[in-house]
Amino acid sequence: MAGKLKVGVLGATGMVGQRFVSLLADHPWFEVAVVAASASSAGKSYGDAVAGRWQIPSAIPAAIAKLPVGDASDVAAIAGAVDFVFCAVDMTKDDTARLEDAYARAETPVVSNNSAHRWTPDVPMIVPEINGDHAAVIEAQRKRLGTKRGFVTVKPNCSLQSYVPAIHALRAFQPTKLAVSTYQALSGAGKTLETWPEMADNVMPIPLSKGEAEKSEREPMKLWGTVVDGKIVPAEAPQISAQCIRVPVSDGHMAAVFVSFAHNPTKDQIIAAWRDFTGRPQQLKLPSAPQPFLRYLEEDGRPQARLDRDLGNGQAIVVGHLHADRMFDWRFVGLSHNTLRGAAGGAVLTAELLKSDGWIVAK
């Protein structure tokens, strides 16, 4: 492990945890030192713990398969063995928040896929190409937690990736209102057609009680917010109205987007803005950064989940089907891979940026 940061994966046996394990198996900067899950899996080898429920197309990484599964609640033992952790536990929000704070107070940075701290004002919620500068709020968080190197950072809901980056690239034209319908893959609920057979030949609205629509409407405001006096103050515009639908697709969240602008761009200006947009991960050539970040496809009927979700190793945002609209100014379709860019992959890229900027260092 010489030269690499030692990483722990909390919730390593779940679908997103498995994605973390597969992505980190050959990572040039990070190496998995600890896999952890609930007490029921603790003590087993990782290979045995995920036997019969490994959901990643590639094989279980041989070296990681041999690791013993730790108990994620054993903060002292795990924090003592790693430089930082990724968190993908399946717990209540309150329990998740307490666990993440405990790791941070044990001087172990947490890069979380969970939602527990998304609205904590001094916890940055980062899409690396959009708001990596929000990491500045970590200093205020450390004062609150009483830490020197520990902190928590989170990534936003997976559905946002399918349209927010495309809108972000157009902010010079001042988007004023959006109507968004997201069509979300089964893996976003941790399911497959085999484990959720009632979704075969079916489409269903995601219940409001799940909070998906609210996340799609509110979380972009934090991404576009500003750091003021040690807190992130959410933006007030654009207004977003969202509807979220579950579809019988394995991976890939799609969004149908309708948008109006204060300064209405031409079609050529929109396409140029998408194609020219680059973020700091691309400029720094971070290991997981897609080149380019946004990909515009001119072909009819694109993007498509099956054809396009893996572009940029599943880290690119794919847009297409751009047309003028009678009620709004423009409409388009966006696509992202929800368990890669939208979950584990986005978190790994966030950790790469935090390392590059000196927030995550070896103990």
Side-chain angles (χ1 to χ4, degrees):
M1 295 189 184
K4 291 188 178 183
L5 294 180
K6 294 180 288 185
V7 177
V9 179
L10 311 180
T13 58
M15 181 178 285
V16 174
Q18 292 177 21
R19 278 288 185 194
F20 275 121
V21 167
S22 66
L23 289 171
L24 295 168
D26 297 307
H27 196 281
W29 294 0
F30 309 141
E31 190 157 2
V32 176
V34 174
V35 287
S38 65
S40 61
S41 296
K44 300 177 183 177
S45 71
Y46 184 71
D48 287 342
V50 298
R53 57 192 183 104
W54 179 255
Q55 298 178 2
I56 308 301
S58 57
I60 304 171
I64 299 175
K66 299 175 183 177
L67 291 177
V69 177
D71 186 339
S73 66
D74 191 354
V75 175
I78 294 172
V82 300
D83 295 309
F84 74 100
V85 296
F86 291 107
C87 187
V89 296
D90 183 12
M91 301 166 62
T92 67
K93 284 190 176 182
D94 288 345
D95 287 343
T96 300
R98 282 191 287 269
L99 183 70
E100 292 176 347
D101 284 349
Y103 275 93
R105 289 192 172 101
E107 300 294 1
T108 303
V110 179
V111 181
S112 179
N113 185 72
N114 295 89
S115 63
H117 272 305
R118 286 181 187 159
W119 284 98
T120 304
D122 60 9
V123 172
M125 180 172 66
I126 293 176
V127 174
E129 289 87 353
I130 292 177
N131 66 330
D133 60 318
H134 281 193
V137 81
I138 289 171
E139 292 291 4
Q141 184 191 152
R142 284 173 169 167
K143 290 180 181 178
R144 173 175 63 83
L145 294 174
T147 63
K148 294 182 178 180
R149 70 184 304 280
F151 64 88
V152 179
T153 186
V154 299
K155 53 158 295 300
N157 184 262
C158 53
S159 65
L160 270 64
Q161 316 291 331
S162 57
Y163 66 93
V164 168
I167 294 296
H168 184 76
L170 304 176
R171 293 193 78 207
F173 306 111
Q174 297 181 26
T176 57
K177 59 181 179 179
L178 284 79
V180 180
S181 290
T182 61
Y183 302 90
Q184 301 183 201
L186 302 181
S187 56
K191 304 282 189 177
T192 65
L193 278 175
E194 289 72 27
T195 60
W196 200 359
E198 59 266 39
M199 277 303 300
D201 193 32
N202 197 14
V203 172
M204 67 173 67
I206 298 176
L208 289 176
S209 60
K210 299 292 186 182
E212 288 293 311
E214 182 183 21
K215 294 171 188 174
S216 292
E217 293 170 349
R218 294 184 63 217
E219 289 184 14
M221 300 300 100
K222 186 172 182 179
L223 291 176
W224 289 322
T226 53
V227 177
V228 179
D229 296 330
K231 297 181 179 179
I232 298 170
V233 179
E236 295 184 356
Q239 294 180 313
I240 302 176
S241 178
Q243 183 78 277
C244 301
I245 310 294
R246 188 72 66 192
V247 294
V249 171
S250 60
D251 294 301
H253 285 357
M254 186 171 283
V257 184
F258 301 79
V259 56
S260 291
F261 297 93
H263 305 287
N264 190 16
T266 66
K267 185 173 184 177
D268 286 344
Q269 286 176 316
I270 292 174
I271 294 172
W274 284 338
R275 287 180 168 162
D276 292 344
F277 182 80
T278 187
R280 289 194 64 240
Q282 286 71 38
Q283 295 162 7
L284 294 171
K285 297 183 179 180
L286 298 180
S288 300
Q291 301 281 1
F293 174 44
L294 297 174
R295 300 197 183 194
Y296 176 70
L297 304 181
E298 297 191 21
E299 299 94 326
D300 288 341
R302 303 287 286 278
Q304 295 181 26
R306 187 166 60 180
L307 296 179
D308 303 315
R309 62 193 171 206
D310 291 319
L311 290 178
N313 293 321
Q315 294 276 40
I317 309 303
V318 189
V319 288
H321 207 64
L322 175 65
H323 298 284
D325 188 74
R326 292 180 181 179
M327 295 182 65
F328 292 77
D329 291 330
W330 294 94
R331 62 180 186 262
F332 66 89
V333 172
L335 172 70
S336 65
H337 195 303
N338 56 294
T339 65
L340 288 172
R341 166 57 74 160
V348 171
L349 184 58
T350 296
E352 292 170 0
L353 183 61
L354 292 170
K355 176 187 179 299
S356 294
D357 289 343
W359 294 106
I360 295 178
V361 297
K363 288 183 176 177

